[in-house]
Amino acid sequence: MSDARAAAEKADEKSADRLTTLSDGIFAIAMTLLVLDLHVEPGLDKDEFTDAVRQAVPDLGAYALSFTILAGFWRDHRLIVRLVPRFEGVALRFALMWLGAIALVPFPTALLSEYAARPLTVAVYASMVAVTNLLELAMFLTGRRATEHATEASRGDVGRAVTADLAATAALFAATVPVAYLVSPVAAMWCWLALVPIKLTLTHRKRATARRHGRAS
């Protein structure tokens, strides 16, 4: 029995390692693609250079926003893999769809850098973040249903903190979609900035809960 359990644990570790390796590669590519639109043409005179740098500011803002969001997804994924060390079946399908959404992030980022004043652009970006959070949440919830793979922490306070963080972030970004149309795209983007302290608070609580659970274990 002990040999079978050891073999199962080893298989779980390999499954987690493979998913982590794949996700790290996709995150690295997505983060790298974000910088492709950041450039200033050579050979400009002083006035042209100043104007080019000024025009690059929205690109830098979109890059910083998307990089921060991707970094948050990456940190969440590292925690989720510890809570659910093996994904298969429906959970694996959600994991692949989530990684597909991560790889798509550079596209709405490019839209945001060029057409931030249009409601559809802001709606697409906010929807992308909301859907990606929901896919990650679905991956986590379906993965922890596999009782032979999920850890006890995934069903306890740590798991509830992860669920609350992902669900709240998805709801908050989705709520800015009507703001972009009914108020203005700029107002919706300011709402994203207002979400930063909320997201940081949720993340802090989630990680503090994980640390407490780790000490208790």
Side-chain angles (χ1 to χ4, degrees), residues 4 29 51 62 71 76-77 83 104 107-108 113 122 164 172 188 193 201 205:
I29 293 172
D51 186 58
D76 288 341
H77 174 69
L83 296 174
L104 192 61
F107 170 66
S113 65
V122 175
L172 291 170
L193 295 179
T201 300
R205 290 179 180 176

Side-chain angles (χ1 to χ4, degrees), residues 63-194:
Y63 162 78
L65 175 64
S66 292
F67 189 92
T68 301
I69 288 173
L70 285 175
F73 281 128
W74 182 80
R75 289 195 304 268
D76 288 341
H77 174 69
R78 306 291 284 194
L79 175 58
I80 288 174
V81 168
R82 291 199 299 271
L83 296 174
V84 185
R86 186 174 181 178
F87 291 88
E88 57 188 17
V90 177
L92 181 58
R93 294 188 186 95
F94 277 124
L96 293 175
M97 286 190 289
W98 173 71
L99 289 175
I102 292 296
L104 192 61
V105 168
F107 170 66
T109 302
L111 288 180
L112 191 66
S113 65
E114 295 292 338
Y115 302 102
R118 300 187 181 183
L120 179 59
T121 296
V122 175
V124 167
Y125 193 94
S127 298
M128 177 274 298
V129 177
V131 169
T132 307
N133 271 277
L134 291 176
L135 287 173
E136 190 172 25
L137 177 60
M139 174 185 71
F140 172 63
L141 294 178
T142 54
R144 83 176 176 180
R145 287 178 185 172
T147 55
E148 68 274 18
H149 299 146
T151 62
E152 289 299 325
S154 68
R155 303 182 190 87
D157 291 339
V158 181
R160 286 190 288 272
V162 171
T163 301
D165 183 14
L166 294 174
T169 304
L172 291 170
F173 269 91
T176 64
V177 172
V179 174
Y181 284 98
L182 299 177
V183 184
S184 72
V186 174
M189 288 187 285
W190 275 112
C191 288
W192 296 346
L193 295 179

